[in-house]
Amino acid sequence: MMRIPMAFALDAQLPPDPIFEPGIRRAPKRAVQLDEADIALALRNALRYVHPSLHKQLAPEFLNELMNHGRIYGYRFRPRGRLSGRPMHEYRGRCEAGKALQVMIDNNLDFAIALYPYELVTYGETGQVFQNWMQYRLTKRYLEELEEDQTLVLHSGHPLGIFPSSKTAPRVITTNGLMVGMFDNPETFARAAAIGVANYGQMTAGGWMYIGPQGIVHGTYNTLVIAGRLKLGIPVDGDLRGRLFVSSGLGGMSGAQGKAVEIAGAAGIIAEVDASRIETRRSQGWVSKVTSKPAEAFQWAAEAMAAKKGVAIAYHGNIVTLLAHAVENQIRIDLLSDQTSCHAVYEGGYCPVQLDFAERTEMLGKDKTRFRQLVDATLQQHFELIHKLVARGTYFFDYGNAFMKSVYDAGVKGICKNGQNEKEGFIWPSYVEDILGPELFDYGYGPFRWVCLSGDPADLDRTDAAAAETIRGLRPELRYQDLDNLRWVQEAKSYQLVVGTQARILYQDAEGRRRIARRFNAMVRAKEVGPIMLGRDHHDTGGTDSPYRETSNIKDGSNIMADMATHIFAGNAARGMTLCALHNGGGVGIGKSINGGFGLLLDGSEDVDRIIDSALPWDVMGGVARRAWAGNAHSIETSALYNEKSHGCITLPHLADPELLRSVMAGYRAT
């Protein structure tokens, strides 16, 4: 069997000058203070990827990129034109997994999907697939040569190399931005990224599993309808017709809000300062109306509410301006949130109300100190407006984007429960803490997804039908979550969710995922469909340790620990997932979470059946078990049922009587 050369590297021939197509969004300059030694180090690190004969020409070019963009992207190494996830058979490769993962990478960098395609940013303002285009090219070459008994290892986008393993081992193991604890902070990370040793993979960007805004739309829909049931008294079989939802952000993950609002039947107004993002969502059919006038936006919403119709309205402007209009004009908002990229609040993820988008971008590159001051002032104003609306009956929930932590960091101690610091949490709940955690994650329901690697829409239709049939037979009496999921997958095609590859998102629990995956693999084996890549968002039951988001409803104090995500990652690797990923930061920022994901190629083999049976239940139940030990009631129920029906055994807690604890503490205080 042919092996890759000992010195596998990029070609010694210099690619042509880069061409930047007009109308494609570009990332703002990444501001970071580097001294001369760091600048030289950044150049040395980037030049490692190219042949020494090219160093003399590329060194000044890379220096220019670093000075003008804050990073060395190696633009000339980007392939010309649009990248897209093509049908798998069109890619070169020695094994099916190598070709399948190339589909996933290119889909993440599609002009129709990526936020800043030329800077390799898929979503979340800073979430990159790789640090630079040299890494992209070298990784693609490795994947073309990868064989079934080898594993490609990546460190923050850098392909460390291919190593002998076994057919049952992962084909790719990747980590992004993992830092030693004492250095794990945004400032040190920014330097590490600038000198070319750290990548912010977000979640599914660096894990190559992003499927466009569809990847979050089912979760956003679930959040809205469950919030309506829990907070607005809407029955399980009802929807949000006649209700108003207001939020901000129409970028990567936040771009799902408009579609989710319309599916839920609500009137929604989503503020966005970047006109190009609004146009992207409008052209894709994810928002229906656009205005730059707050009064017009609320008038359109009122008309839709009166007609009991769902509508997604994009407001081109700052969310603070929109909320100020609502406060001044006594407009009732039922549900309120925010999806600006506050994990990168001072890197352009949050726009000061005093600036338009162009001014924001210019100031980011010229006066970072003043920009930070304006961001803090706007966050303080944003907080005050939400506070007033909540006092009038609005239900506000943080959408896990580090908004409340950013408000606290801006100097607003009043956002903390104890009025002093964030140790006891914030006065408003995270959407996971109040909604998705107890109602979905504690049962094991999470964002299961699949990609039909043939690129054939008919394959997606067949998998949708198979998933629906599987859900119907999942248990003797379906839970309301099952009924929600059944309706979702039956109607998914009508929502026109696909952007990029033929993919689907579907919240499911452990047994649901296992049965659907088994059914899909049998369909591949019978040649009813082509190969399929399974995955999930890292934002899941066990995928992420994040005290302000995914683990915000874990109340035993372990929400600050990263054991769960790390063990899920390791367990998935041990069980033979095709791709295993572990990242620092996620949607809340460096040092605030550890998150992991996976990819599993369904090739129809019996080996994959065995991986499905061991890995998919572990991936979910490892998280449910941790939640059960924390005392979460639904997780205890789910774990007890697992102990009855599976070959495994989860440790269950003996919960102390709250009255006993109060009595003991009263005696302690008395002494």
Side-chain angles (χ1 to χ4, degrees):
M1 198 174 283
M2 186 178 294
R3 296 292 179 180
I4 59 174
M6 287 182 60
F8 199 71
L10 299 182
D11 295 334
Q13 185 176 356
L14 189 70
D17 291 340
I19 294 176
F20 302 99
E21 296 188 23
I24 303 299
R25 281 184 299 270
R26 302 295 303 280
K29 180 180 179 181
R30 306 303 187 189
V32 61
Q33 297 297 320
L34 299 179
D35 58 24
E36 288 191 6
D38 279 342
I39 293 171
L41 184 58
L43 291 174
R44 188 183 76 179
N45 288 343
L47 290 169
R48 289 181 291 188
Y49 289 100
V50 296
H51 193 272
S53 64
L54 305 178
H55 285 189
K56 186 174 182 180
Q57 180 170 346
L58 286 175
E61 184 174 308
F62 285 170
L63 177 61
N64 182 64
E65 287 184 14
L66 183 62
M67 294 297 99
N68 288 316
H69 300 281
R71 299 287 188 274
I72 297 173
Y73 294 113
Y75 287 119
R76 72 163 61 242
F77 289 90
R78 182 191 181 278
R80 291 281 180 94
R82 173 184 173 179
L83 298 174
S84 63
R86 307 189 310 276
M88 191 175 99
H89 70 268
E90 295 184 12
Y91 288 86
R92 290 180 50 211
R94 298 181 183 278
C95 70
E96 295 294 278
K99 292 187 284 186
L101 291 170
Q102 291 181 68
V103 178
M104 305 305 293
I105 290 171
D106 284 349
N107 186 61
N108 273 226
L109 293 168
D110 191 324
F111 283 160
I113 287 177
L115 178 61
Y116 302 129
Y118 287 111
E119 288 74 36
L120 301 110
V121 174
T122 299
Y123 69 98
E125 195 61 37
T126 54
Q128 292 184 215
V129 183
F130 298 101
Q131 294 180 60
N132 57 58
W133 290 102
M134 293 84 77
Q135 290 180 346
Y136 167 88
R137 284 207 179 198
L138 190 54
T139 298
K140 289 290 291 289
R141 290 194 60 178
Y142 272 129
L143 289 173
E144 289 174 352
E145 301 294 340
L146 186 68
E147 297 181 5
E148 288 188 345
D149 59 351
Q150 297 173 325
T151 297
L152 171 61
V153 178
L154 293 99
H155 292 181
S156 275
H158 167 64
L160 192 69
I162 288 178
F163 296 86
S165 54
S166 70
K167 186 176 181 180
T168 58
R171 297 284 69 81
V172 172
I173 291 180
T174 181
T175 57
N176 280 286
L178 299 183
M179 306 185 79
V180 175
M182 66 180 293
F183 301 102
D184 195 5
N185 59 73
E187 292 75 22
T188 306
F189 181 86
R191 173 186 174 271
I195 64 174
V197 296
N199 186 52
Y200 195 84
Q202 247 292 352
M203 291 181 146
T204 49
W208 309 343
M209 286 291 147
Y210 192 64
I211 58 171
Q214 180 189 178
I216 197 66
V217 70
H218 194 187
T220 306
Y221 166 80
N222 280 333
T223 300
L224 292 175
V225 296
I226 296 174
R229 292 165 183 166
L230 297 179
K231 307 301 177 181
L232 304 178
I234 294 171
V236 170
D237 59 352
D239 58 26
L240 294 178
R241 294 176 196 277
R243 303 288 186 161
L244 176 60
F245 170 68
V246 174
S247 186
S248 61
L250 285 170
M253 295 181 71
S254 60
Q257 293 184 104
K259 180 69 76 171
V261 160
E262 291 195 339
I263 295 171
I269 306 174
I270 301 100
E272 172 58 64
V273 294
D274 182 355
S276 73
R277 301 184 204 198
I278 291 176
E279 175 54 26
T280 295
R281 300 303 168 218
R282 187 205 61 76
S283 64
Q284 292 172 347
W286 288 57
V287 297
S288 302
K289 292 174 173 283
V290 179
T291 182
S292 58
K293 301 174 182 177
E296 188 169 47
F298 282 110
Q299 178 60 36
W300 287 345
E303 292 169 358
M305 292 162 67
K308 303 293 185 181
K309 291 183 178 180
V311 65
I313 301 162
Y315 166 66
H316 182 210
N318 199 292
I319 181 63
V320 170
T321 303
L322 190 68
L323 296 185
H325 181 88
V327 169
E328 292 165 7
N329 292 275
Q330 300 289 317
I331 298 172
R332 176 179 172 83
I333 297 172
D334 295 294
L335 300 174
L336 175 63
S337 192
D338 183 85
Q339 279 204 50
T340 47
S341 295
C342 286
H343 67 277
V345 67
Y346 301 119
E347 286 74 53
Y350 185 88
C351 185
V353 71
Q354 300 91 338
L355 307 176
D356 63 24
F357 186 71
E359 292 167 338
R360 157 264 198 193
T361 304
E362 182 179 6
M363 186 176 286
L364 267 173
K366 291 184 177 180
D367 192 348
K368 192 71 178 290
T369 300
R370 178 59 177 158
F371 183 80
R372 186 180 187 117
Q373 293 170 347
L374 293 178
V375 165
D376 286 348
T378 302
L379 284 167
Q380 293 163 10
Q381 186 179 354
H382 198 162
F383 167 79
E384 293 296 337
L385 291 166
I386 294 173
H387 204 277
K388 291 176 181 177
L389 289 165
V390 168
R392 297 176 183 175
T394 294
Y395 174 66
F396 173 81
F397 56 94
D398 181 295
Y399 210 92
N401 59 340
F403 172 73
M404 289 191 291
K405 180 64 165 62
S406 297
V407 171
Y408 170 73
D409 291 341
V412 183
K413 291 186 177 180
I415 202 167
C416 303
K417 283 183 179 178
N418 62 15
Q420 295 296 321
N421 55 54
E422 72 270 48
K423 289 183 179 179
E424 296 177 25
F426 301 111
I427 61 174
W428 300 315
S430 157
Y431 75 118
V432 174
E433 185 177 9
D434 245 21
I435 304 168
L436 290 196
E439 296 299 309
L440 294 179
F441 287 173
D442 285 357
Y443 287 101
Y445 292 98
F448 184 61
R449 62 181 61 179
W450 63 91
V451 174
C452 296
L453 296 166
S454 66
D456 186 351
D459 278 6
L460 188 57
D461 293 344
R462 296 182 188 104
T463 55
D464 282 345
E469 184 178 338
T470 303
I471 293 171
R472 289 191 198 97
L474 194 53
R475 49 184 59 90
E477 186 174 346
L478 296 181
R479 301 175 183 142
Y480 86 79
Q481 295 93 335
D482 299 320
L483 295 172
D484 284 349
N485 294 334
L486 178 59
R487 177 194 166 210
W488 175 268
V489 78
Q490 286 175 323
E491 299 177 359
K493 183 176 181 179
S494 69
Y495 301 147
Q496 299 180 338
L497 301 170
V498 173
V499 178
T501 54
Q502 295 296 314
R504 184 67 71 225
I505 180 77
L506 172 65
Y507 269 59
Q508 261 308 317
D509 66 346
E511 182 61 9
R513 299 185 209 197
R514 188 190 72 82
R515 290 195 193 183
I516 291 172
R518 270 283 205 153
R519 177 70 180 275
F520 287 178
N521 200 45
M523 293 169 70
V524 175
R525 185 159 49 241
K527 300 189 184 307
E528 297 172 26
V529 295
I532 293 170
M533 180 67 76
L534 293 186
R536 59 160 169 77
D537 197 339
H538 303 194
H539 169 65
D540 198 4
T541 298
T544 298
D545 288 296
S546 179
Y548 301 120
R549 193 160 85 173
E550 282 81 1
T551 48
S552 59
N553 75 315
I554 289 179
K555 304 294 187 181
D556 68 346
S558 70
N559 59 333
I560 63 172
M561 306 302 292
D563 296 312
M564 178 180 70
T566 306
H567 277 270
I568 296 293
F569 166 80
N572 282 342
R575 289 165 174 81
M577 291 289 201
T578 307
L579 166 74
C580 296
L582 190 67
H583 303 164
N584 180 8
V588 293
I590 286 297
K592 299 183 179 72
S593 81
I594 296 294
N595 68 87
F598 75 83
L600 177 60
L601 175 63
L602 304 186
D603 60 6
S605 68
E606 292 182 359
D607 284 341
V608 168
D609 282 338
R610 287 189 285 270
I611 295 172
I612 289 170
D613 287 343
S614 64
L616 286 185
W618 155 251
D619 185 69
V620 178
M621 293 308 300
V624 173
R626 186 268 187 95
R627 292 170 179 276
W629 189 242
N632 294 10
H634 295 320
S635 287
I636 293 174
E637 297 166 13
T638 304
S639 296
L641 186 62
Y642 175 86
N643 286 350
E644 289 178 17
K645 296 189 173 183
S646 82
H647 185 57
C649 183
I650 292 171
T651 306
L652 298 178
H654 297 290
L655 301 179
D657 183 351
E659 288 300 324
L660 171 65
L661 297 179
R662 278 192 284 269
S663 174
V664 170
M665 292 307 299
Y668 169 77
R669 286 191 291 269
T671 61

